[in-house]
Amino acid sequence: MGFLAPLMLLGLLGAAAPIVIHLHGRRRARVRPFATIDFLLGSDRRQARRFLLRDRLLLAARVLACVAMALVLAKPFLSCRAVGVAVERGPQAVALVLDDSFAMGYRLDGESLFDRAKQRALAVLRSVGPEADVALVLASDGAPPALELSRSQLKVADAIRAARPSHRPADMAVALGRAQALVGSSPHVARRVYLFSALSAGAFTTAEAAVLANVELRLVDVAEGTPLANVAIVGVRAEREPDLGARGVRVTAELVNHAAVAVVDRGVSLSVDGKVLARGVVSLPAGERAEKRFSVTLPGTGRAQQVVVELDHDALELDDRRWLSVEVADEVRTLLVNGDPRTIEHEDELHYLATALRPGDLGDSRIALTILAPDALAAARLEEQDVVVLANVAHLDEKAVAALARWVGQGGGLFITLGDASRADAWDGAMAALLPQGLHAPRLAAPGATGAERAARAERIGRFEAAHPIFAGLGRDGAGLLEARFHRIFLLDPVAGGDRRTLARFASGAPALVEAPLGKGRRLLFTSTIDRDWNDLPIHAAYLPFVQQAVRYLSRTPPPGEAQATLVGRTQDLAVLPGDRRVEVTAPDGQKTVFEGRRLEGRTRVPFVGTRLPGAYRVVAVDADGVSRPRSSSDFAVNIDPVGSDVRRAEAARLPQSANPTVTSALGQSVPTRRVDLWHGVAAALLLFLLGEALLTRRL
Amino acid sequence: MSDAKSRLVAPETARRLGTMELRARTIVEGAFAGRHRSAFHGSSVEFAEHKEYSPGDEPRHIDWRAVGRTDRHLVKRFEDETELTAYLCLDRSGSMSYGGGAVTKLEYAATLLAALAWLLGRQRDRVGLMVSGGGGPDAWIPPRGRAGHVGELLGELEQAVAGGARGATTLAPALERVGELARRRSLVIVATDLLEAEPGPLACLRQLRARGHDVTLLHVLDRDELELPFEEMCEFRSLEDERRMLVDPRAIRATYLERLRQFLDAARRGCEEGDVEYRLVPTDAPLDIALADALGDRARRRRVGR
């Protein structure tokens, strides 16, 4: 507390006057021997006490009145942390920039910073006076532009009250630019921009501070200088975890401690469909990052699961949770294209392959088979398959090749095996787009030989990449792979460079298994037959693990992780497949967005812009028959932009400034103070004391 | 009795007179100036004796025959008018020392009793005196009718005044002593302020009256005690003990007066119920008027007792 006229406090000495008079009056009380003192004592004990109390009250009232008189003259005041900056009344143009980024949801002392910002903004609005033109500018990224300056302050006040914190980070450069443009267009001489924000680092990410010309800028730190601490999950990714089976995933969450103090043993959990699958703790030094890994087996049978990693909540809850759409290969859906079907089962091109992929026709291998003739491939729904095996296919039409190539480019797996029906000219011609490497010509391992000589001169696998996933289960000795005899193989055209890999070679050096990527997909070329026509591999123990691992390796699954996640406010492209008549996207709050009619016609993708909330978004496709199917492969997660999670106070150099040096600015005033005059209250108390003194005196 | 004819002997005036006898005479003369009838004598048909004429005696009772025989003015006395025995009781407790005006209650009461004694002595009545101080009877002079007895009695009163009031009020033992000593129907006059914690004095007075004595209570109070006229802060101190009280009299006056009124009513009612003459005597009242008032109904009484 301070005093504008401290010398007047000398008047406090006047408070001694009533006391002195009182004591003096007591000393002067006349001593009077009295005979009827019984009547005084007996009749007046209670009244004497009342009188004594009244006497003391009277003394107190007089002393307090003297004190109050001195205090009023000394004009006391309190310096307190200002609820808002000093506000001038009068004609002026005022832009109220309200930081509605998600970081303003930070709860401090039981209320959110955003609520504080709104209160401060309303307080400023009430103080600028009716002659001020005012506009409200929201500062979050992607916020709608502000309306024009308006003298209807009621509307602005309603807009402030109706404002809610967004789920986006702040874009102060844009917001301040809009504010400057608004007040700059005003005919008022006084132009002021008030920024209500926690002034956190996440809100001012540009290297250089924004500079506002001819505008008086006032920063209102709603955090009032309080250091803010926040731990956030800034990223989540998922990988396969083969040790846990087909539905095993390893989810890795990246966490950041935006605080000046370390965090110890903060709880973090992973859940699916609201059920917690794993829980752990994480410790983070101040300002550091850390990763937390969870290895879990996803429940259910769906191909895609929405995984949520969640921290034990702190003051800013919104960034304590992060979603991820994880697609798991439940069953490898495999389409076998039979290029040499036979009526005798064991002579059929796919007899050994189909038997090896699905032994006993049971689901133990978790590989689902669909067998087609090459002519039917063009009409097949490739998007419902993970792997396509072209077994000794002689020819595919152009449309089928294009569809297949596009499908592989989107992540499909193509396994090509050769045989008697395969012709090099056909493959190198219309079907060349599918081949990892051009075909040259078939070659007999032992031309003219028969019997034992033929067996002895047959080709054998000379070397293979034992560490490759396809061969990983065979061991160093290849589990019989090296013993298999190849009587006939296809030689490949020599090529140089490229990203193809020869995973296995024959002893002669000819490629046996070649891998090459195509877009997001993979291709494998096996230069012999997949049945026993050209080799005896199917009767060796290595055959089954080889073909199963090859199919699993080729499984068309996009790398699980944030490929299926985006940020709030960003556009998410949704795949449109042939036959789709309607695509629905359901947001976390249940709101649906429908694409149909002209929005789908002739398009392979549609942009979805309704990513306004963080959470899991579900996609459902409706075909021409009106059948609705969840399209889990298109499901995606939306998360907040982690850049806004840094709630530490921004460096002063990054805070916006006013370019006009003649105008005052609140820059640097981390906690503005305001003077609150107290003399009004003291004067009121003085009146009360005088009134009380008068009443007490009158009663006497 | 006519007050208008009295000379109005103010207490401060009486105090300036030298001796108690002089004061008593002045008061009596003031009270009975121009009066010829004895205050105490009634009329009866049964002749008892002669006595020498003195002021206040009825002239019609002069026995002219005896005057002719003896050449002295002798007055006939009848049965009722035979020698009267009077007991005067003075409360000398500490509370009687208060005097807000010219005299203290003790001085006033003593002077008033002296006037009575002188009057009775002049009528050749037997007068005794009991002075009650702190702790009980303080002085006792038995009633006698001899010459000089009144002077002795006045001297005792003068000594009591000079000695001042002291101690707590203990009037009851003194009155009980009077009751024991008074064998004949007698006149008992008690001067006190009745400021005693115990209700004993009134009971004793009623007992005396019940035995046939003619009892009069002179309730002597100071004007300050009757009105509490003080305006400034006062520290009141008890006259009989160590009690004290700092108070603004203005704040408590109404309550005080109400309680005083209750006290006076109780005293008056107690006397009336016991057929005891009650006289409230403020100490600022002229003594001759107080004396006349004290004797007011005495002349109408024909006999003592009953």
Side-chain angles (χ1 to χ4, degrees):
Chain A
M1 188 167 70
F3 299 93
L4 292 180
L7 282 178
M8 290 297 175
L9 289 176
L10 292 174
L12 289 174
L13 297 174
I19 299 174
V20 171
I21 292 172
H22 177 77
L23 295 176
H24 186 63
R26 282 191 65 168
R27 281 198 300 272
R28 288 190 59 195
R30 183 167 179 179
V31 176
R32 190 178 290 278
F34 204 59
T36 51
I37 194 169
D38 279 339
F39 301 149
L40 298 174
L41 292 169
S43 68
D44 202 55
R45 280 188 199 281
R46 189 190 307 173
Q47 195 163 356
R49 284 196 295 270
R50 284 170 51 195
F51 176 78
L52 186 62
L53 175 64
R54 191 182 301 172
D55 190 40
R56 290 177 179 172
L57 287 176
L58 191 61
L59 175 64
R62 287 168 178 167
V63 170
L64 289 174
C66 290
V67 171
M69 181 75 77
L71 289 177
V72 167
L73 294 175
K75 294 189 175 178
F77 65 90
L78 279 179
S79 293
C80 61
R81 290 196 294 185
V83 172
V85 294
V87 180
E88 289 81 5
R89 293 180 69 89
Q92 57 186 315
V94 174
L96 305 175
V97 181
L98 191 60
D99 183 355
D100 62 335
S101 64
F102 72 85
M104 294 292 283
Y106 193 100
R107 297 194 71 80
L108 188 63
D109 298 334
E111 66 174 343
S112 74
L113 295 179
F114 189 68
D115 287 339
R116 281 193 188 183
K118 288 165 66 172
Q119 292 168 12
R120 309 293 192 272
L122 288 171
V124 170
L125 185 63
R126 285 192 293 268
S127 303
V128 293
E131 297 172 301
D133 294 333
V134 187
L136 175 66
V137 179
L138 298 177
S140 63
D141 180 24
L147 301 175
E148 295 179 347
L149 287 169
S150 168
R151 197 158 292 187
S152 175
Q153 297 177 4
L154 284 177
K155 282 187 177 179
V156 178
D158 289 342
I160 292 174
R161 292 190 187 95
R164 298 286 180 271
S166 71
H167 295 87
R168 307 182 187 197
D171 190 346
M172 285 297 176
V174 171
L176 292 174
R178 287 172 175 170
Q180 184 179 24
L182 279 171
V183 298
S185 63
S186 167
H188 288 297
V189 176
R191 298 164 178 175
R192 297 186 176 94
V193 172
Y194 294 86
L195 172 59
F196 304 92
S197 170
L199 305 180
S200 59
F204 301 93
T205 55
T206 54
E208 295 183 359
V211 178
L212 276 65
N214 299 320
V215 169
E216 186 177 344
L217 175 64
R218 291 182 174 175
L219 305 182
V220 181
D221 179 9
V222 295
E224 297 174 352
T226 305
L228 305 182
N230 181 37
V231 178
I233 303 176
V234 296
V236 179
R237 64 180 186 276
E239 300 164 304
R240 294 284 176 80
E241 183 65 280
D243 293 343
L244 295 178
R247 298 184 69 80
V249 292
R250 183 169 64 239
V251 178
T252 304
E254 185 179 5
L255 305 100
V256 178
N257 180 14
H258 294 298
V261 293
V263 170
V264 179
D265 291 345
R266 173 70 63 82
V268 58
S269 63
L270 181 145
S271 56
V272 174
D273 293 334
K275 183 178 179 182
V276 176
L277 299 184
R279 187 184 293 277
V281 294
V282 64
S283 296
L284 284 162
E288 295 293 322
R289 291 174 176 259
E291 287 188 343
K292 181 66 181 176
R293 291 187 177 85
F294 296 98
S295 292
V296 295
T297 300
L298 297 181
T301 58
R303 292 181 60 82
Q305 293 281 10
Q306 298 291 343
V307 173
V308 182
V309 180
E310 193 166 7
L311 267 172
D312 287 352
H313 293 316
D314 54 17
L316 180 55
E317 294 185 11
L318 207 54
D319 58 7
D320 294 335
R321 191 183 299 117
R322 208 157 183 89
W323 287 262
L324 180 68
S325 180
V326 178
E327 187 173 5
V328 291
D330 186 29
E331 277 192 329
V332 180
R333 300 167 300 180
T334 307
L335 176 62
L336 304 180
V337 181
N338 194 345
D340 187 16
R342 301 289 179 90
T343 54
I344 299 174
E345 187 177 1
H346 69 274
E347 292 181 351
D348 189 88
E349 184 71 22
L350 297 180
H351 170 66
Y352 293 98
L353 178 62
T355 302
L357 292 179
R358 197 171 174 83
D361 199 23
L362 300 176
D364 297 349
S365 66
R366 306 191 73 80
I367 297 175
L369 300 180
T370 303
I371 299 176
L372 287 179
D375 297 341
L377 183 60
R381 296 179 65 89
L382 294 178
E383 70 275 6
E384 295 179 357
Q385 302 297 333
D386 299 317
V387 178
V388 172
V389 180
L390 298 179
N392 195 15
V393 173
H395 174 74
L396 293 174
D397 61 31
E398 201 170 309
K399 185 178 177 184
V401 170
L404 203 53
R406 185 171 65 247
W407 173 78
V408 174
Q410 293 173 350
L414 179 62
F415 191 8
I416 300 171
T417 66
L418 304 174
D420 293 330
S422 304
R423 298 200 318 272
D425 57 342
W427 275 101
D428 291 340
M431 301 192 293
L434 304 178
L435 280 174
Q437 190 170 344
L439 301 184
H440 179 67
R443 183 175 72 87
L444 284 172
T450 59
E453 183 185 2
R454 182 170 178 262
R457 294 174 58 190
E459 282 279 13
R460 295 172 189 268
I461 299 294
R463 58 182 185 275
F464 61 94
E465 292 190 12
H468 194 276
I470 293 177
F471 303 112
L474 300 181
R476 284 286 171 190
D477 59 354
L481 181 65
L482 302 179
E483 283 74 35
R485 298 181 179 88
F486 291 80
H487 307 293
R488 192 166 188 163
I489 60 173
F490 233 110
L491 299 177
L492 303 180
D493 289 336
V495 291
D499 49 4
R500 68 184 59 79
R501 295 168 64 190
T502 300
L503 304 179
R505 287 183 183 276
F506 293 108
S508 63
L513 185 64
V514 177
E515 178 197 4
L518 176 61
K520 296 179 179 177
R522 299 190 183 106
R523 297 168 291 175
L524 282 177
L525 173 61
F526 186 54
T527 58
S528 188
T529 59
I530 201 69
D531 63 356
R532 291 192 63 186
D533 287 352
W534 286 11
N535 57 67
D536 63 355
L537 179 63
I539 63 172
H540 284 83
Y543 183 76
L544 186 143
F546 165 65
V547 294
Q548 284 198 1
Q549 286 300 101
V551 166
R552 288 201 176 94
Y553 178 67
L554 291 172
S555 297
R556 184 185 65 84
T557 50
E562 299 221 357
Q564 291 301 322
T566 187
L567 300 178
V568 172
R570 302 286 174 81
T571 300
Q572 172 73 7
D573 284 339
L574 302 176
V576 179
L577 303 179
D580 286 347
R581 291 294 178 268
R582 176 185 171 96
V583 175
E584 293 178 359
V585 181
T586 304
D589 62 350
Q591 184 173 336
K592 288 186 177 179
T593 303
V594 176
F595 299 91
E596 59 185 348
R598 289 185 176 178
R599 299 180 70 180
L600 291 184
E601 285 179 4
R603 309 183 72 168
T604 57
R605 315 188 75 80
V606 289
F608 174 72
V609 296
T611 55
R612 56 190 174 78
L613 292 177
Y617 287 69
R618 312 276 182 183
V619 179
V620 172
V622 181
D623 61 16
D625 298 330
V627 179
S628 176
R629 291 190 180 89
R631 181 167 290 166
S632 58
S633 61
S634 293
D635 289 349
F636 59 97
V638 174
N639 292 300
I640 59 170
D641 191 339
V643 72
S645 294
D646 191 354
V647 294
R648 292 171 296 185
R649 188 177 173 81
E651 299 171 9
R654 291 178 182 266
L655 294 177
Q657 303 171 19
S658 177
N660 190 344
T662 62
V663 298
T664 59
S665 171
L667 289 175
Q669 295 182 11
S670 58
V671 184
T673 58
R674 193 172 66 173
R675 195 185 77 200
V676 179
D677 288 329
L678 301 177
W679 70 269
H680 308 87
V682 179
L686 172 62
L687 289 178
L688 287 177
F689 295 147
L690 292 176
L691 181 63
E693 194 271 347
L695 288 174
L696 289 169
T697 306
R698 184 182 176 85
R699 291 288 297 273
L700 286 175
Chain B
M1 183 175 298
S2 175
D3 294 343
K5 293 179 180 177
S6 66
R7 291 188 290 177
L8 295 179
V9 182
E12 56 269 27
T13 304
R15 192 183 189 195
R16 284 196 293 269
L17 299 176
T19 63
M20 190 63 81
E21 183 176 354
L22 185 56
R23 295 179 200 170
R25 185 185 301 164
T26 304
I27 293 166
V28 171
E29 287 176 352
F32 297 100
R35 295 174 61 181
H36 302 286
R37 187 175 178 185
S38 170
F40 296 103
H41 295 169
S43 59
S44 177
V45 293
E46 187 176 350
F47 174 78
E49 59 182 1
H50 282 105
K51 71 176 278 284
E52 197 160 353
Y53 175 82
S54 63
D57 287 342
E58 287 282 352
R60 61 190 173 92
H61 290 159
I62 297 175
D63 187 349
W64 295 109
R65 291 182 183 175
V67 171
R69 284 196 306 268
T70 63
D71 200 22
R72 290 190 301 170
H73 289 82
L74 297 176
V75 179
K76 286 182 180 177
R77 299 189 70 176
F78 301 91
E79 184 63 28
D80 279 356
E81 299 167 347
T82 54
E83 187 175 66
L84 175 69
T85 302
Y87 293 91
L88 304 181
C89 290
L90 175 63
D91 180 5
R92 194 189 170 195
S93 65
S95 62
M96 292 292 286
S97 66
Y98 183 76
V103 295
T104 67
K105 290 188 286 184
L106 179 62
E107 286 178 293
Y108 190 94
T111 306
L112 191 56
L113 291 184
L116 281 168
W118 193 85
L119 177 62
L120 291 169
R122 195 182 62 177
Q123 294 179 170
R124 300 287 186 267
D125 289 331
R126 292 156 52 87
V127 184
L129 175 65
M130 174 69 78
V131 178
S132 173
D138 202 17
W140 163 243
I141 297 178
R144 291 190 181 93
R146 61 178 173 83
H149 177 69
V150 172
E152 182 184 351
L153 193 147
L154 294 184
E156 185 60 37
L157 286 173
E158 199 161 2
Q159 195 172 356
V161 172
R166 60 194 178 196
T169 304
T170 50
L171 193 58
L175 296 177
E176 290 171 357
R177 182 75 185 278
V178 169
E180 294 169 359
L181 297 174
R183 303 198 181 276
R184 298 179 57 192
R185 292 173 182 171
S186 307
L187 173 64
V188 180
I189 299 177
V190 180
T192 178
D193 55 7
L194 280 182
L195 297 179
E196 188 169 3
E198 300 299 327
L202 281 180
C204 291
L205 291 176
R206 284 199 294 269
Q207 285 179 359
L208 288 172
R209 179 65 188 120
R211 292 177 188 172
H213 302 299
D214 189 3
V215 184
T216 297
L217 171 64
L218 301 178
H219 196 180
V220 182
L221 288 174
D222 194 273
R223 182 60 63 186
D224 290 349
E225 295 169 338
L226 291 171
E227 296 179 356
L228 196 69
F230 314 117
E231 294 294 328
E232 74 281 14
M233 286 288 293
C234 293
E235 183 179 296
F236 293 104
R237 294 182 179 177
S238 173
L239 292 168
E240 297 184 352
D241 50 37
E242 298 303 319
R243 291 176 296 171
R244 59 180 60 191
M245 179 180 184
L246 178 65
V247 71
D248 187 333
R250 295 171 295 176
I252 60 170
R253 182 175 294 127
T255 309
Y256 172 86
L257 294 179
E258 173 59 22
R259 288 190 62 85
L260 179 69
R261 184 189 64 75
Q262 293 174 3
F263 168 69
L264 296 178
D265 286 349
R268 182 179 292 109
R269 192 164 52 250
C271 290
E272 288 174 356
E273 289 172 355
D275 196 22
V276 174
E277 286 291 326
Y278 173 86
R279 292 289 181 271
L280 176 62
V281 186
T283 57
D284 60 347
L287 283 160
D288 49 344
I289 291 180
L291 177 63
D293 191 38
L295 301 174
D297 287 343
R298 189 64 48 203
R300 288 194 295 273
R301 290 177 182 255
R302 295 186 176 182
R303 318 166 49 94
V304 175
R306 209 137 359 189

